[in-house]
């Protein structure tokens, strides 16, 4: 029957791919949203998520094109495939939104997050912290006789792992930026 | 024409250039410069309402009955917050509104100034988009964009917040053509492959149904015309949501009545039993689907909608088509005709539908002693049939009865608050409709409780000599609430009656309009005739049976084929699980 054989994502206008949406399956998706950097745009996006009960695991935003006042918002969210599709469509119809890219659907992409991790310890633990940081490619950006601040730019999972390593070694506090992401290869996202 | 103007002049000029003929508004400190400009001209008519909620609903009535955007002008703070219900209503029902609000001067914003409210913050979730204009040079462009956004794609309300100093300062005016509107351009053409798949389904369906909604009306008269052609050429049965009544004529051969919670038995059974569903400009709202996992289990579904977020939101469909209804229907018919598609034999399906229709689900027990609300609407329908007629409603049982017992043969003739269900909508809406259609018969079918919510607008009706007829089905009850309490809450009628009601006839006289009261079915026709003959606003107090229930009814949490047809079938019909739903 032809309606069933309609190719998934056969055109931009059909908007929805026809992959199965079992309500049980939860997926984590990274969305990249290009928006006009106008007042209230972040409030609008966040209001959409809170108003409709969608999850935000991470959200980052900054102006990426100063000349045309465009900002890129990177959102990591989770939900059933149907909810993810809804989020995509709801974002896309907002007036200041230029483009929404679901990087998880598109495939190979790079995700990075930056964390600043403060560790205070002396003696053996201090040495061990430095050694671990070196292994995990964290950089020391501040040092006193009793503390380090490490900077680590990695995937969120790697950062989680690094923080766990530091916990017994005198972890004091953590600041994280949230995820930024782009596609692999030479093509732009939109 | 000089292009340097004050902000207030820019507002009025922009409205003129947008072709605005009427503004519904209410003045206050933060919009005085704009009112000053309105005072100096005669092109744009300003209608002074009695409450800003009234302005918004009146603008909605104007918009729905004309297809043009409705324009609202109110002051900062309370003026803006009073308009919030109207904007939310317009958002839910996809009605284009442009709301202009005054704001405290830019240098006072954030200081809790007198009558300051964070208007763009408050209205962000209840508008399609909104803007705070801090620079007079940006004002004209923003207003033009506001009109563009309100009317393009899925229509909706927008708001422009204009601080008072921006209204006083001078800036450059730009005409609509020069405005930056290109960035918002929702697609209107459907995907060809999907439309072809829909036509395949048109050809193959054995038990088809056309399920239409407000999107057909929003798309414009051409969409209604094409829908009629589609129904005629396919011979498929057609049902509509509350919002879509009139897109296809109630007198047409394909019509099987409204569907949904209080829809007809035949429409809901056909939705349940069909093998191919063509959803055209509707959105599978919970009043329509009932229990989701039991909704039309055996059908393949096509969904045409201009808003991609409406598709696959509640119900997954096999053929999604994002586009403007008129454009998509046109292409669909083109393909259907080009293929020389044979019309399916749907005789067996129609026979089944006729059997469902024979249940006569709208039957009610007539009475010689009291006016049954259904009877009142049957008589109103019969006595106004030949008129150039527009019907508004409030929200409640009377609204559902009006949808069931009045027939609409044209689009834009039926104004009712569907998505939000706003009591108090009808009176101001009727005013907006009458402003747009001065010679027409405009009736607001109301419940006494809803009607009290915005009855102050009778002052507006009298001031502008608007002969709106307020036909109140007075059951001295919050009838719909009472019905739910009867069915769901063990007949504990908690606060669901209207006590201390005013004498509506005296109230009419106090407003300077005509009051009519009727409680005898034998006198009803004469009383309605008297209302119709009166050249001015009328408040008609129609005292009806107090405990009548509205049937059919699909109880919350039930499927289409589990609908209740009358009082006898209601006992224990709604289970605890259904009671938590609204
Ligand atoms: C502003 C608002 N408040 C509350 C409700 C809930 N509600 C829905 S119908 C209804 C009763 C309406 O009574 P009435 O206008 O007399 O109409 P009837 O059902 O009696 O015909 C109420 C309170 C609502 N829809 N809108
Ligand atoms: Mg009532």
């Amino acid at each position: 029957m032809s309606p069933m054989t309609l190719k998934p994502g056969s055109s931009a206008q059909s908007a929805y791919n026809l992959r199965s949406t079992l309500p049980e399956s939860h997926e984590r998706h990274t969305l990249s949203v290009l928006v006009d950097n106008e007042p209230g745009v972040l409030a609008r996006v966040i209001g959409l998520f809170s108003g409709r009960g969608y999850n935000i695991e991470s959200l980052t935003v900054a102006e990426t094109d100063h000349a045309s006042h465009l900002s890129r918002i990177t959102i990591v969210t989770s939900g059933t495939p149907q909810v993810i599709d809804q989020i995509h469509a709801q974002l896309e119809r907002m007036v200041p939104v230029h483009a929404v890219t679901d990087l998880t659907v598109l495939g190979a992409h790079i995700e990075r997050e930056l964390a600043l991790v403060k560790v205070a310890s002396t003696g053996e633990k201090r040495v061990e912290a430095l050694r671990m940081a070196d292994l995990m490619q964290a950089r020391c950006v501040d040092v006193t006789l009793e503390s380090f601040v490490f900077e680590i730019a990695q995937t969120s999972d790697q950062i989680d792992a690094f923080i766990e390593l530091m916990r017994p070694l005198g972890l004091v506090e953590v600041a994280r930026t949230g995820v930024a992401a782009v596609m692999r290869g030479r093509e732009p996202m939109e | 024409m000089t292009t340097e103007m004050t902000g207030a002049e820019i507002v009025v000029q922009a409205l003129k250039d947008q072709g605005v003929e009427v503004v519904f508004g209410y003045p206050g400190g933060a919009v005085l410069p704009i009112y000053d400009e309105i005072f100096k001209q005669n092109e744009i008519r300003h209608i002074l309402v009695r409450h800003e909620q009234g302005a918004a609903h009146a603008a909605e009535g104007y918009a729905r009955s004309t297809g043009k955007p409705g324009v609202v002008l109110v002051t900062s703070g309370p003026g803006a917050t009073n308009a919030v219900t109207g904007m939310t209503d317009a958002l839910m029902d996809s009605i284009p509104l442009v709301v202009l609000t005054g704001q405290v001067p830019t240098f006072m914003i954030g200081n809790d100034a007198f009558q300051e409210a964070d208007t763009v913050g408050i209205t962000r979730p209840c508008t399609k988009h909104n803007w705070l204009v801090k620079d007079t040079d940006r004002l004209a462009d923003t207003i033009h964009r506001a009109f563009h956004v309100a009317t393009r794609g899925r229509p909706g309300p927008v708001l422009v917040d204009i601080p008072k100093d921006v209204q006083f300062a001078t800036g450059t005016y730009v005409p609509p053509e020069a405005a930056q509107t290109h960035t918002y351009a929702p697609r209107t053409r459907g995907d060809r492959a999907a439309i072809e798949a829909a036509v395949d389904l048109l050809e193959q369906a054995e038990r088809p149904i056309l399920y239409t909604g407000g999107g057909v009306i929003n798309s414009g008269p051409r969409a209604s015309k094409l829908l009629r052609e589609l129904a005629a050429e396919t011979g498929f049965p057609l049902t509509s949501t509350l919002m879509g009544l009139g897109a296809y004529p109630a007198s047409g051969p394909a019509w099987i009545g409204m569907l949904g919670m209080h829809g007809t038995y035949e429409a809901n059974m056909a939705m349940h039993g069909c093998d191919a569903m063509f959803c055209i400009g509707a959105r599978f709202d919970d009043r329509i689907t009932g229990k989701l996992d039991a909704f039309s289990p055996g059908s393949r579904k096509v969904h045409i909608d201009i808003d991609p977020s409406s598709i696959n939101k509640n119900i997954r469909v096999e053929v999604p088509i994002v586009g403007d209804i008129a454009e998509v229907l046109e292409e669909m018919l083109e393909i259907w005709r080009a293929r020389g598609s044979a019309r399916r034999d749907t005789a067996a399906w129609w026979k089944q539908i006729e059997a469902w229709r024979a249940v006569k689900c709208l039957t009610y027990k007539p009475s010689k002693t009291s006016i049954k609300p259904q009877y009142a609407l049957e008589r109103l329908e019969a006595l106004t049939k030949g008129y150039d007629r527009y019907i508004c409603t409030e929200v409640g049982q009377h609204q559902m009865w009006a949808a069931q017992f009045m027939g609409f043969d044209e689009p834009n003739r039926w104004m009712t608050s569907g998505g939000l269900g706003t009591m108090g909508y009808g009176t101001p809406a009727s005013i907006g409709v009458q402003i747009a259609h001065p010679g027409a018969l405009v009736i607001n079918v109301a419940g006494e409780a809803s009607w009290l919510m915005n009855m102050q607008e009778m002052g507006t009706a009298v001031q502008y000599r608007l002969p709106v007829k307020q036909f109140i089905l007075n059951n001295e009850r919050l009838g719909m609430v009472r019905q739910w309490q009867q069915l769901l809450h063990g007949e504990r009628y908690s606060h669901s009656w209207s006590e201390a009601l005013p004498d509506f006839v005296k109230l009419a006289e106090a407003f300077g309009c005509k009051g009519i009261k009727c409680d005898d079915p034998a006198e009803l026709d004469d009383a309605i005739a008297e209302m119709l003959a009166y050249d001015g606003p009328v408040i008609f107090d129609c005292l009806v049976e107090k405990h009548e229930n509205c049937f059919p009814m699909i109880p919350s949490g039930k499927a289409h084929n589990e609908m209740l047809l009358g009082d006898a079938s209601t006992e224990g019909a709604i289970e605890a699980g259904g009671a938590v739903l609204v």
Side-chain angles (χ1 to χ4, degrees):
Chain A
M1 168 63 215
S2 55
M4 305 299 281
T5 59
L6 200 66
K7 270 212 308 297
S10 64
S11 86
Q13 278 157 318
S14 59
Y16 288 86
N17 54 53
L18 301 175
R19 72 207 146 92
S20 118
T21 55
L22 294 172
E24 314 86 64
S25 68
H26 251 250
E27 295 177 357
R28 181 174 180 276
H29 281 241
T30 304
L31 304 174
S32 181
V33 189
L34 199 63
V35 299
D36 286 324
N37 185 14
E38 61 179 33
V41 66
L42 186 59
R44 233 175 264 285
V45 169
I46 290 172
L48 171 73
F49 276 74
S50 64
R52 292 186 183 264
Y54 305 144
N55 297 320
I56 299 181
E57 289 186 7
S58 150
L59 187 147
T60 62
V61 58
E63 191 169 89
T64 48
D65 181 343
H66 299 303
S68 42
H69 299 291
L70 290 176
S71 291
R72 187 175 295 285
I73 303 179
T74 308
I75 305 170
V76 181
T77 183
S78 64
T80 62
Q82 191 163 356
V83 166
I84 301 284
D85 282 349
Q86 263 298 302
I87 293 172
H88 193 137
Q90 293 285 355
L91 284 169
E92 206 151 51
R93 73 174 186 151
M94 298 179 90
V95 174
V97 169
H98 289 249
V100 182
T101 311
D102 187 331
L103 296 166
T104 308
V105 166
L106 282 188
H109 63 277
I110 313 277
E111 286 188 22
R112 284 294 178 275
E113 191 181 347
L114 186 130
L116 295 173
V117 179
K118 183 175 289 184
V119 179
S121 50
T122 52
E124 231 357 75
K125 284 187 175 175
R126 180 172 162 86
V127 179
E128 185 65 4
L130 202 56
R131 210 169 67 82
M132 288 295 167
D134 193 40
L135 276 174
M136 298 285 285
Q137 284 159 33
R139 235 157 45 90
C140 183
V141 289
D142 179 67
V143 57
T144 70
L145 286 176
E146 288 110 39
S147 70
F148 297 116
V149 175
F150 295 116
E151 172 200 275
I152 175 168
Q154 260 298 351
T155 63
S156 302
D157 285 352
Q158 288 284 326
I159 292 176
D160 286 346
F162 181 66
I163 291 167
E164 284 316 306
L165 283 174
M166 289 301 123
R167 200 174 296 286
L169 302 177
L171 181 73
V172 175
E173 62 191 2
V174 180
R176 296 172 70 153
T177 58
V179 173
V182 288
M183 294 299 298
R184 284 185 184 276
R186 72 179 292 274
E187 297 305 322
M189 281 187 264
E190 44 277 321
Chain B
M1 183 185 78
T2 156
T3 54
E4 285 296 306
M5 304 180 195
T6 67
E9 286 170 334
I10 285 175
V11 169
V12 172
Q13 188 60 46
L15 294 182
K16 285 180 186 169
D17 286 351
Q18 287 290 340
V20 173
E21 287 161 357
V22 54
V23 170
F24 300 91
Y26 207 91
V31 279
L32 285 179
I34 299 173
Y35 271 85
D36 217 17
E37 289 310 313
I38 286 182
F39 185 81
K40 296 178 193 159
Q41 55 87 49
N42 283 319
E43 264 171 78
I44 295 174
R45 189 172 178 208
H46 178 274
I47 304 297
L48 178 69
V49 294
R50 298 299 184 265
H51 185 297
E52 289 87 351
Q53 184 187 356
H57 293 320
E60 283 189 276
Y62 177 90
R64 286 185 64 166
S65 66
T66 60
K68 296 189 236 170
V71 181
V72 174
L73 173 61
V74 295
T75 193
S76 66
T81 56
N82 274 349
V84 163
T85 302
M87 283 182 264
T88 311
D89 192 271
L91 186 74
M92 291 290 267
D93 285 349
S94 309
I95 308 302
L97 289 190
V98 176
V99 180
L100 307 176
T101 50
Q103 182 53 281
V104 302
T106 47
F107 52 84
M108 292 174 84
I109 288 177
N111 285 344
D112 300 322
F114 178 63
Q115 293 195 329
E116 179 182 0
D118 176 9
T119 301
V120 286
I122 290 169
T123 63
R124 206 172 277 132
C126 67
T127 52
K128 197 175 160 186
H129 198 65
N130 62 17
W131 296 264
L132 168 64
V133 182
K134 288 185 170 171
D135 174 358
T136 307
D137 279 329
R138 301 279 314 136
L139 187 54
D141 183 70
T142 306
I143 294 173
H144 296 316
R145 286 185 63 185
F147 276 88
H148 178 84
V149 169
T151 52
R152 296 307 189 287
R154 180 176 178 174
V158 298
L159 179 143
V160 184
D161 201 22
I162 314 172
K164 197 170 182 181
D165 55 333
V166 173
Q167 299 171 35
F168 274 123
T170 47
T172 308
Y173 182 77
V174 293
E177 311 79 68
Q180 303 266 311
T181 52
H182 60 274
T183 53
Y184 183 71
R187 314 184 84 130
T188 55
R189 257 188 94 83
D191 171 42
R192 180 77 181 188
I195 296 176
E196 283 185 356
V199 178
D200 292 349
L201 204 51
L202 282 180
E203 291 172 345
Q204 293 160 20
E206 286 175 6
R207 301 186 310 280
I209 189 159
L210 303 173
Y211 150 43
T212 66
V216 183
I217 293 170
N218 274 338
S219 175
R222 197 162 68 96
S224 292
K225 187 177 153 285
L226 291 161
L227 177 69
R228 290 160 192 228
E229 289 176 24
L230 182 72
E233 292 191 27
T234 58
F236 291 175
L238 185 148
T239 180
S240 163
T241 64
L242 182 73
M243 297 303 297
L245 296 178
Y248 183 84
S251 57
W255 181 243
I256 60 170
M258 180 175 82
L259 81 162
M261 185 173 270
H262 292 291
T264 67
Y265 185 65
E266 51 271 34
N268 286 325
M269 289 304 280
M271 287 289 282
H272 190 78
C274 66
D275 72 340
M277 180 183 293
F278 299 88
C279 170
I280 307 173
R283 59 182 176 92
F284 296 97
D285 165 86
D286 55 73
R287 299 291 99 157
I288 296 306
T289 59
K291 190 179 180 185
L292 275 181
D293 48 18
F295 176 72
S296 193
S299 63
R300 277 173 300 186
K301 301 173 187 75
V302 176
H303 187 179
I304 313 172
D305 203 301
I306 194 148
D307 177 3
S309 76
S310 285
I311 291 176
N312 287 346
K313 181 166 64 181
N314 302 325
I315 294 289
R316 276 190 62 75
V317 301
E318 284 77 23
V319 187
I321 304 175
V322 177
D324 173 60
I325 301 297
E327 285 190 36
V328 173
L329 285 184
E330 180 142 67
E331 209 168 328
M332 226 161 121
L333 278 163
E334 233 172 69
I335 298 170
W336 166 268
R337 286 167 187 159
R339 288 190 193 174
S341 299
R343 188 176 157 149
R344 262 321 282 197
D345 178 12
T346 50
W349 177 230
W350 269 109
K351 203 166 146 232
Q352 171 67 72
I353 290 172
E354 290 308 330
W356 286 324
R357 210 199 300 257
V359 168
K360 293 198 188 320
C361 67
L362 296 180
T363 310
Y364 61 93
K365 234 188 257 137
S367 164
K368 282 210 160 56
T369 50
S370 70
I371 300 178
K372 288 291 183 121
Q374 302 96 322
Y375 176 74
L377 290 170
E378 275 178 345
R379 295 317 301 155
L380 185 68
E381 166 78 356
L383 295 169
T384 60
K385 200 62 192 165
Y387 284 75
D388 177 15
R389 186 189 79 177
Y390 294 81
I391 303 290
C392 302
T393 76
E394 301 288 346
V395 170
Q397 291 179 314
H398 62 277
Q399 175 191 30
M400 293 299 116
W401 281 317
Q404 293 172 340
F405 288 89
M406 308 201 74
F408 300 93
D409 282 350
E410 295 299 330
N412 305 100
R413 297 277 173 163
W414 164 248
M415 279 33 75
T416 193
S417 170
L420 196 64
T422 310
M423 292 170 70
Y425 168 87
T427 306
S430 69
I431 284 168
V433 175
Q434 191 84 72
I435 289 283
H437 308 277
L441 171 64
V442 181
I443 303 174
N444 176 30
V445 175
E448 81 296 339
S450 296
W451 192 80
L452 289 176
M453 284 206 179
N454 269 324
M455 66 165 194
Q456 77 286 347
E457 297 307 329
M458 288 316 288
T460 312
V462 172
Q463 178 180 345
Y464 295 97
R465 299 176 200 281
L466 305 171
V468 289
K469 313 301 184 208
Q470 305 297 318
F471 191 73
I472 303 173
L473 294 176
N474 182 355
N475 51 12
E476 300 175 11
R477 300 289 182 278
L478 315 185
M480 191 57 97
V481 172
R482 189 205 56 71
Q483 175 168 346
W484 280 59
Q485 288 173 334
Q486 182 185 342
L487 300 179
L488 285 130
H489 294 274
E491 302 181 45
R492 290 179 298 279
Y493 298 123
S494 182
H495 300 273
S496 57
W497 65 93
S498 302
E499 228 172 69
L501 282 171
D503 178 328
F504 286 102
V505 173
K506 280 192 187 149
L507 190 66
E509 281 158 11
F511 271 116
C513 47
K514 184 179 178 65
I516 300 174
K517 178 174 179 159
C518 183
D519 60 3
D520 181 353
E523 288 170 8
L524 183 59
D525 275 20
D526 287 347
I528 291 176
E530 187 186 352
M531 172 180 87
L532 298 177
Y534 185 72
D535 182 23
V538 176
I539 300 173
F540 190 120
D541 184 13
C542 187
L543 288 153
V544 296
E545 178 70 45
K546 299 185 202 316
H547 288 158
E548 193 73 13
N549 282 336
C550 183
F551 291 111
M553 177 178 183
I554 302 177
S556 295
K558 293 281 186 174
H560 276 174
N561 59 347
E562 297 176 282
M563 75 189 317
L564 309 178
L565 288 172
D567 277 313
S569 60
T570 60
E571 209 108 313
I574 303 175
E575 291 140 17
V580 303
L581 303 171
V582 289

